[in-house]
Amino acid sequence: MSFRLTVATIICLGAVCGQKVKTKVYTDPKECFKTYRLDTGSVLTSSGLVEDPTVNSIMKEAVGNEMNQLKIASAGKEADLEIHFMGGTSAGLQVDDLTVGNVAMWNIGGPLAVSSRSYKKSALVIAVVDAKTKHTVWAAQCTDNFGDPNKLKERIQNAVTKAFAKFPKNLACS
């Protein structure tokens, strides 16, 4: 329950624009961490939250690479850290016609149609939780257009790399 609340808070705090990464440190643990466990993540779709095997596989590899660089080893249920993630999509509207304000405001002839396009943005939220205390230690929100199937792996890997570049190095025992 606290993980969902943390994820909801992070999503509400983040602004979705371009490929962007926001991170936050929530606690300053007294000990460093040696092991981690990546939980199965969920992707928010029009059908609700689903487990996507492709995204889970990409995340396993991407998070594994980053944790190896931090010298934090993968472990089972007895891991020091639990890493949770969730993804979702939203759409934003961009108006392309800069003169539409004058036409709509003064109604001086011409069509009142608005030339616009809808752009999809996606968010990938990563939460790192202390397995003993169940407190969120660190979290990141990455935004991009993750939905392009041809670039999904590349974009997720880049987002995870950018996020973990901001991971506090003092949390790793290396």
Side-chain angles (χ1 to χ4, degrees):
M1 182 69 163
S2 65
F3 169 69
R4 288 185 183 181
L5 181 59
T6 301
V7 170
T9 302
I10 294 166
I11 289 173
C12 291
L13 292 175
V16 180
C17 56
Q19 184 174 16
K20 194 173 192 176
V21 175
K22 289 187 170 196
T23 63
K24 182 171 179 165
V25 177
Y26 284 89
T27 62
D28 188 16
K30 294 177 177 51
E31 299 177 29
C32 60
F33 301 102
K34 296 179 184 175
T35 59
Y36 79 96
R37 174 175 53 91
L38 179 67
D39 281 345
T40 303
S42 300
V43 178
L44 183 61
T45 67
S46 59
S47 304
L49 283 172
V50 297
E51 291 180 13
D52 185 322
T54 302
V55 172
N56 276 293
S57 174
I58 295 168
M59 283 297 292
K60 182 178 181 179
E61 180 182 341
V63 169
N65 290 339
E66 298 306 315
M67 297 308 268
N68 283 338
Q69 289 182 13
L70 292 166
K71 297 187 178 22
I72 300 176
S74 178
K77 291 184 180 184
E78 301 300 318
D80 300 332
L81 294 173
E82 297 172 357
I83 301 177
H84 307 277
F85 71 92
M86 184 174 84
T89 303
S90 66
L93 184 67
Q94 176 179 332
V95 176
D96 296 324
D97 187 354
L98 299 176
T99 64
V100 75
N102 293 338
V103 173
M105 180 192 252
W106 298 105
N107 196 13
I108 303 174
L112 293 178
V114 176
S115 172
S116 66
R117 289 183 223 143
S118 180
Y119 294 93
K120 290 198 175 200
K121 293 290 181 189
S122 305
L124 172 65
V125 179
I126 303 168
V128 177
V129 178
D130 183 332
K132 292 177 188 169
T133 65
K134 300 296 184 197
H135 291 128
T136 302
V137 176
W138 176 85
Q141 177 187 1
C142 315
T143 57
D144 196 356
N145 180 7
F146 294 107
D148 183 350
N150 298 323
K151 296 183 180 181
L152 183 63
K153 183 174 183 177
E154 173 189 347
R155 287 187 171 163
I156 289 175
Q157 287 176 332
N158 287 340
V160 171
T161 299
K162 278 186 171 183
F164 276 93
K166 297 179 180 185
F167 188 80
K169 306 303 183 237
N170 65 320
L171 296 179
C173 291
S174 56

